[in-house]
C-alpha cells in the first residue's frame, strides 16, 4: 500500500523531528525511526487501528507522545497529522 503525507502533516513531522534534534540527535533518530515503523505498520494493515469520527484512524506512537491521524481508501493511506497528544484533540480537523 502507498502512503502520502498532507503538507500540514509533513510540516508537523519535520518540526517535531527538528525539536528533538535540537535537544538530542539520538532522540531525533529514535523519533524518525518510530514514525517510519508506524507508517509501515499502518500500510500493512490500515484497518487495524482505532477509528475516530469522520472515517479517520489513529496510530499512537509507543515511545513519544504523538499520534498519527490517517485515512485509507483503495491502495492509498493519507496521513493528515503527526499530532502531539497535549494539543487540543480536534485541532487537526481544522484542515
Amino acid at each position: 500500500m502507498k502512503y502520502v503525507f498532507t503538507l500540514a502533516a509533513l510540516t508537523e513531522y519535520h518540526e517535531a523531528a527538528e525539536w528533538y534534534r535540537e535537544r538530542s540527535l539520538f532522540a531525533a533518530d529514535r523519533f524518525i525511526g518510530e514514525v517510519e515503523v508506524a507508517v509501515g505498520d499502518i500500510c500493512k494493515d490500515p484497518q487495524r487501528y482505532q477509528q475516530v469520527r469522520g472515517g479517520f484512524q489513529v496510530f499512537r506512537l509507543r515511545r513519544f507522545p504523538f499520534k498519527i491521524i490517517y485515512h485509507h481508501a483503495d491502495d492509498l493511506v493519507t496521513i493528515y497529522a503527526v499530532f502531539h497528544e497535549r494539543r487540543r484533540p480536534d485541532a487537526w480537523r481544522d484542515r
Side-chain angles (χ1 to χ4, degrees):
M1 185 167 275
K2 296 178 183 178
Y3 68 91
V4 63
F5 282 79
T6 64
L7 182 57
L10 191 58
T11 299
E12 287 173 333
Y13 176 36
H14 287 178
E15 287 175 353
E18 184 59 28
W19 187 90
Y20 283 111
R21 188 173 290 111
E22 289 171 358
R23 284 144 184 83
S24 163
L25 292 176
F26 177 73
D29 287 345
R30 285 185 63 185
F31 175 75
I32 291 166
E34 189 162 342
V35 171
E36 289 174 358
V37 167
V39 170
D41 289 348
I42 290 166
C43 288
K44 285 179 193 168
D45 189 3
Q47 296 180 10
R48 178 179 178 189
Y49 303 100
Q50 177 187 358
Q51 291 188 356
V52 294
R53 267 185 317 173
F56 292 95
Q57 291 180 261
V58 177
F59 183 104
R60 287 179 172 82
L61 297 184
R62 291 172 186 88
R63 296 184 186 124
F64 294 90
F66 282 82
K67 300 175 186 177
I68 296 175
I69 311 292
Y70 68 95
H71 182 267
H72 67 91
D74 301 323
D75 287 343
L76 181 66
V77 170
T78 303
I79 298 171
Y80 285 89
V82 180
F83 199 76
H84 194 286
E85 290 184 345
R86 292 205 178 187
R87 290 178 59 190
R88 195 180 91 236
D90 284 343
W92 64 272
R93 289 188 181 271
D94 297 341
R95 302 177 184 165

